[in-house]
Amino acid sequence: LLLRNGQTSYLLPDEAIGFPLGIEQDIIYTHAQIPLQSGDTLLFYTDGIVEAKNMAGDMFGFDRLETTLQRFDNGYDPHQIIDNLMADIQAFVGEAEQHDDITLVVVQVE
């Protein structure tokens, strides 16, 4: 997920969509080159983020992830973005049990 100038967008073009890494041994993967700009923030995450559920069974979801990430466009370093995203996810989930892994990687372009 790319955050650029307050807007989020998903990076994978249609030709790069395929099997997740490591799911099959003999899969041939495609690749794509994405031009980045100074100030861009990239968020890599596992599906446990968007599939995190609260006590009512509602998922955190893609829209909520994008909206949350947009709040951290100016002046936040990668550690702060991760800490704030995790706090927002935890606040959403509340006391519900975690049912999948949650992994976040944030990269900022200087």
Side-chain angles (χ1 to χ4, degrees):
L1 186 58
L2 171 65
L3 175 62
R4 177 182 288 159
N5 299 323
Q7 300 298 313
T8 54
S9 60
Y10 289 92
L11 294 179
L12 292 178
D14 291 340
E15 64 270 13
I17 302 296
F19 284 96
L21 287 175
I23 200 164
E24 293 286 335
Q25 198 167 9
D26 297 321
I27 296 295
I28 297 173
Y29 293 97
T30 60
H31 69 279
Q33 293 184 3
I34 310 290
L36 299 175
Q37 301 174 6
S38 179
D40 285 352
T41 298
L42 297 167
L43 172 65
F44 301 94
Y45 60 92
T46 57
D47 61 349
I49 299 294
V50 293
E51 294 175 0
K53 294 180 183 177
N54 62 16
M55 293 297 282
D58 299 323
M59 290 196 297
F60 192 75
F62 294 100
D63 290 342
R64 188 172 281 114
L65 177 61
E66 289 182 59
T67 301
T68 301
L69 183 60
Q70 288 169 353
R71 291 193 350 247
F72 309 123
D73 190 31
N74 295 316
Y76 288 85
D77 69 34
H79 296 286
Q80 292 171 316
I81 292 171
I82 290 172
D83 290 345
N84 282 286
L85 278 171
M86 289 302 298
D88 284 3
I89 292 163
Q90 185 57 51
F92 174 80
V93 168
E95 298 297 318
E97 185 175 326
Q98 183 177 334
H99 71 289
D100 199 355
D101 68 293
I102 291 179
T103 304
L104 293 170
V105 176
V106 174
V107 176
Q108 288 181 324
V109 179
E110 294 185 351

